[in-house]
Amino acid sequence: MIDEVRTMPTAVQPQLMRWSVVLPGLAALAVALVLPQFANAYVTEVATTALLYVVLCLGLNIVVGYAGLLDLGYAAFFAVGAYTSGILTAEFGFNFWLTIPVAMVAACVAGIIIGAPTLRLRSDYLAIVTLGFGEIVRIIARNLDITGGASGLIGIERPEIFGFKLMQVQHFYYAFLVLALLTAFVCLSVERSRMGRAWFYVRYDEDAAAGIGINRVTAKLQAYMMGAVIASVAGCLYAAKMTAISPESFTFNQSLLILLGVVLGGMGRIPGVVLGAVLVALLPEVLRGAGTYRPLVTAVALLAIMLFRPNGLWPDKRV
Amino acid sequence: MALLEVRDLRLSFGGLKVLHDISFSVEKGAINSLIGPNGAGKTSLFNCLTGFYKPKGGSISLGGRPITGLPPHRITALGLARTFQNIRLFKEMTVLENAMSGQHCRSRHGIMSAILHLPAQRREEETIRTAGMRWLDFVGIEQHAHRRAGGLSYGDQRRLELARALASAPELILLDEPAAGLNEREKLDLVDLIRRIRDETGVTVLLIEHDMGLVMQVSEKIVVFDYGQKIADGPPEAVRADPRVIEAYLGTEE
Ligand SMILES: Nc1ncnc2c1ncn2[C@@H]1O[C@H](COP(=O)(O)OP(=O)(O)O)[C@@H](O)[C@H]1O
Ligand SMILES: [Mg+2]
């Protein structure tokens, strides 16, 4: 019936690879690959933290930037991963690598428990519920024996890979670099797929999305769960690096910091989010010289960025 | 058996009765119109048909299947698509991405196959993209495929809403005032497009429209609403001559 329209001009491929993104990306990657060879232990340590934030911000970006949901308790999933891995290795002698799938499942279950009832409601409720969830997870961790209470969990095993034990900060630097690259690849793949587009449809107009056949509740739930899984994997590696974790690493402040990274860089697209994450990790270090004025200087710097670049440093220009 | 059967449909908001026992049907392959003064309940009826409003009573069936009370995305998947009275595009996305959105319910690959870049997933993406382009071509805006949807002219935004709805492969398409805000030239093109939707794709059309000339020109049957009640239902000539219609609608509007 509509065969004549099949002879339409073939779809012009949109520019999937923009040089303005690819070149800085490659340069950043090259620097990242050789950094520990030149940097001292302190710089490598800070860079490792930056990579951790890259992973966490990319994960939260799926929830906030893609699906447009405000999550104020994202650190809870980071905690679920860290504690699952920590407890399994320290108390039950699990191999580190085996704890990762367990942590992912735990994060999925937690994500469904929080998300399934809440995501049916209008989006504002999610902010409140996730805020509460973040606190609940931290308070549970403070009060259980198995999590080590307020003083936390110690003696977490260092992971081994092909007989090589990850010990030094450089080792963890590269482990986090691999995780960050993997996460970026995963995000990029999903962003350009049917489900990724569905998240953007829901973010831009929920009713129109429902009207063209998208189940908004499952779309949101999938974004929320995928974000949860990424944070949990980051948590596993974080626990292995620290060998000791305590509830104070997973506070509301932590959730806010991750959210700040997402918003600061320009939520939505990967380059901006990576930039924001690095900034969130570096800012406190760069401003060390400010001494007791550090919080003030940080606040002023953030305000300045928000004033002059309200859509983030590297905004999400979709078209 | 009609494609769309509406039986005794009732809707109210608090004490306000918006629809009173509405019954009518749309035959497969038809172009039908729904007219009535502002506030008569036309858009509310569309919202009931597409699952956005839950009716207080009555039943709706599409192709013999009951769809009363189903959520919007299930109704779309069953073959009922719509456009909105106030255009509701994904303005920040490309024109093509908007058109591709209609294909969501006709495809199935999820997160895992996207991460693994499975060949079947790549093929499906290609199908979705091709379908999006086909419908952009059908409504005549394929040259704008990679532009921002919000940047299109008003008339082209209306066309894009149509392309998006058609991309969901519907049996029945509901158009809520598609000619609103269009100039005479664009209205003529719209009449042509509505006919092509039915003639070339076989999709049944039900439209809400204020432009009487346009309605009389394209519809085989017209349903007339006033104050939430159906006051007439029949071919254009009969409706035009109906004294109740003249009093309620045509008499005041023209
Ligand atoms: N969500 C709603 N809540 C309350 N009243 C509504 C709602 N939607 C529609 N109405 C009322 O229903 C009546 C019919 O509106 P509508 O269906 O938009 O009319 P039409 O499309 O024929 O102009 C109006 O009185 C309107 O105020
Ligand atoms: Mg209306």
Side-chain angles (χ1 to χ4, degrees):
Chain A
M1 264 185 297
I2 43 172
D3 276 351
E4 62 272 33
V5 270
R6 274 174 196 279
T7 58
M8 56 167 205
T10 45
V12 188
Q13 290 294 322
Q15 283 210 290
L16 289 180
M17 294 287 182
R18 266 181 257 126
W19 289 112
S20 61
V21 173
V22 173
L23 287 182
L26 285 177
L29 181 62
V31 171
L33 279 173
V34 297
L35 184 106
Q37 315 306 322
F38 300 102
N40 59 30
Y42 163 72
V43 171
T44 310
E45 181 73 46
V46 173
T48 309
T49 307
L51 288 171
L52 167 69
Y53 278 101
V54 167
V55 177
L56 289 172
C57 289
L58 283 175
L60 182 61
N61 182 51
I62 296 172
V63 185
V64 179
Y66 294 173
L69 305 166
L70 184 53
D71 183 345
L72 293 177
Y74 189 63
F77 295 115
F78 181 39
V80 166
Y83 274 101
T84 305
S85 181
I87 291 168
L88 288 177
T89 55
E91 321 241 336
F92 298 96
F94 265 57
N95 177 309
F96 168 77
W97 303 104
L98 286 182
T99 67
I100 294 180
V102 182
M104 289 165 92
V105 171
C108 273
V109 172
I112 291 174
I113 292 173
I114 299 301
T118 327
L119 292 169
R120 289 178 191 286
L121 309 169
R122 284 278 150 180
S123 299
D124 337 347
Y125 291 94
L126 188 71
I128 298 163
V129 173
T130 50
L131 180 68
F133 174 59
E135 285 305 283
I136 288 169
V137 166
R138 193 176 60 86
I139 290 165
I140 289 176
R142 270 182 84 93
N143 289 291
L144 289 184
D145 281 337
I146 196 161
T147 56
S151 56
L153 200 63
I154 51 167
I156 298 166
E157 262 312 298
R158 293 271 139 93
E160 247 180 57
I161 184 161
F162 305 124
F164 179 83
K165 200 163 193 157
L166 301 183
M167 297 287 287
Q168 293 160 13
V169 60
Q170 282 95 331
H171 302 162
F172 281 98
Y173 172 87
Y174 282 111
F176 272 106
L177 182 60
V178 169
L179 182 60
L181 289 173
L182 203 63
T183 309
F185 171 77
V186 163
C187 289
L188 204 62
S189 308
V190 177
E191 186 185 293
R192 289 175 181 166
S193 76
R194 168 178 176 268
M195 212 48 225
R197 283 190 303 273
W199 291 332
F200 282 107
Y201 299 142
V202 170
R203 167 181 159 188
Y204 288 125
D205 192 332
E206 218 175 284
D207 288 330
I212 48 115
I214 290 167
N215 183 340
R216 44 188 150 179
V217 178
T218 42
K220 288 180 191 175
L221 189 59
Q222 287 196 33
Y224 191 61
M225 284 170 62
M226 187 169 165
V229 166
I230 289 175
S232 76
V233 177
C236 291
L237 196 56
Y238 175 78
K241 170 177 176 282
M242 304 306 286
T243 68
I245 50 173
S246 82
E248 297 323 301
S249 310
F250 310 101
T251 55
F252 176 57
N253 270 342
Q254 183 69 271
S255 295
L256 273 191
L257 215 55
I258 303 166
L259 184 61
L260 187 66
V262 174
V263 178
L264 202 59
M267 62 180 193
R269 288 297 161 132
I270 292 166
V273 172
V274 171
L275 185 69
V278 171
L279 229 83
V280 160
L282 294 194
L283 216 53
E285 303 301 327
V286 173
L287 297 177
R288 239 173 231 290
T292 48
Y293 291 104
R294 197 165 65 166
L296 181 69
V297 178
T298 312
V300 170
L302 292 179
L303 274 177
I305 292 174
M306 285 338 240
L307 270 177
F308 294 110
R309 308 280 315 205
N311 293 319
L313 292 169
W314 197 339
D316 165 22
K317 276 220 201 65
R318 293 199 42 96
V319 185
Chain B
M1 177 92 220
L3 177 60
L4 178 75
E5 288 275 2
V6 177
R7 285 264 161 275
D8 304 322
L9 200 70
R10 267 178 290 130
L11 175 74
S12 49
F13 292 105
L16 178 71
K17 284 192 177 162
V18 173
L19 297 175
H20 303 256
D21 300 302
I22 300 291
S23 300
F24 71 97
S25 61
V26 178
E27 296 297 327
K28 191 169 169 48
I31 298 177
N32 286 180
S33 294
L34 183 59
I35 64 170
N38 271 326
K42 306 179 299 294
T43 298
S44 299
L45 175 80
F46 271 20
N47 282 334
C48 288
L49 299 181
T50 51
F52 283 94
Y53 289 169
K54 302 278 170 258
K56 283 262 149 40
S59 69
I60 308 162
S61 73
L62 181 73
R65 263 185 296 198
I67 58 167
T68 329
L70 292 182
H73 69 272
R74 299 254 335 260
I75 292 177
T76 310
L78 287 172
L80 206 170
R82 74 173 292 178
T83 65
F84 293 88
Q85 182 171 350
N86 45 341
I87 304 176
R88 298 284 288 270
L89 290 173
F90 308 113
K91 290 196 176 65
E92 303 303 319
M93 301 176 79
T94 66
V95 169
L96 178 57
E97 282 173 319
N98 271 271
M100 287 160 76
S101 69
Q103 277 278 306
H104 184 89
C105 61
R106 302 290 168 231
S107 44
R108 61 186 180 84
H109 281 280
I111 294 172
M112 277 323 275
S113 42
I115 293 172
L116 299 173
H117 291 252
L118 295 182
Q121 187 263 348
R122 305 314 302 165
R123 277 198 300 277
E124 188 183 81
E125 281 292 304
E126 204 43 53
T127 311
I128 295 172
R129 173 176 288 273
T130 311
M133 278 309 284
R134 174 199 302 171
W135 291 112
L136 290 181
D137 185 63
F138 184 84
V139 304
I141 54 171
E142 76 286 359
Q143 70 276 23
H144 301 312
H146 302 299
R147 284 180 55 192
R148 193 177 147 272
L152 290 183
S153 72
Y154 188 80
D156 283 348
Q157 293 198 18
R158 287 247 172 242
R159 285 167 183 271
L160 179 53
E161 254 210 332
L162 260 167
R164 179 175 74 178
L166 286 167
S168 71
E171 294 230 35
L172 171 65
I173 187 167
L174 308 180
L175 311 178
D176 198 344
E177 302 199 18
L182 300 187
N183 61 35
E184 287 310 313
R185 163 92 232 136
E186 288 171 324
K187 278 185 187 174
L188 284 178
D189 289 345
L190 181 71
V191 168
D192 184 48
L193 187 56
I194 291 172
R195 290 215 173 104
R196 282 178 53 224
I197 290 174
R198 192 262 310 268
D199 298 343
E200 292 178 23
T201 74
V203 175
T204 306
V205 180
L206 175 63
L207 69 144
I208 295 175
E209 192 40 67
H210 277 303
D211 186 309
M212 284 325 252
L214 193 153
V215 167
M216 296 290 167
Q217 214 180 333
V218 298
S219 355
E220 287 117 24
K221 190 178 90 168
I222 299 175
V223 177
V224 189
F225 273 26
D226 196 18
Y227 295 111
Q229 268 160 342
K230 187 177 93 170
I231 59 167
D233 181 346
E237 315 77 58
V239 165
R240 202 201 309 242
D242 191 314
R244 288 185 68 190
V245 178
I246 293 168
E247 188 196 335
Y249 188 72
L250 301 176
T252 54
E253 290 275 310
E254 299 212 326

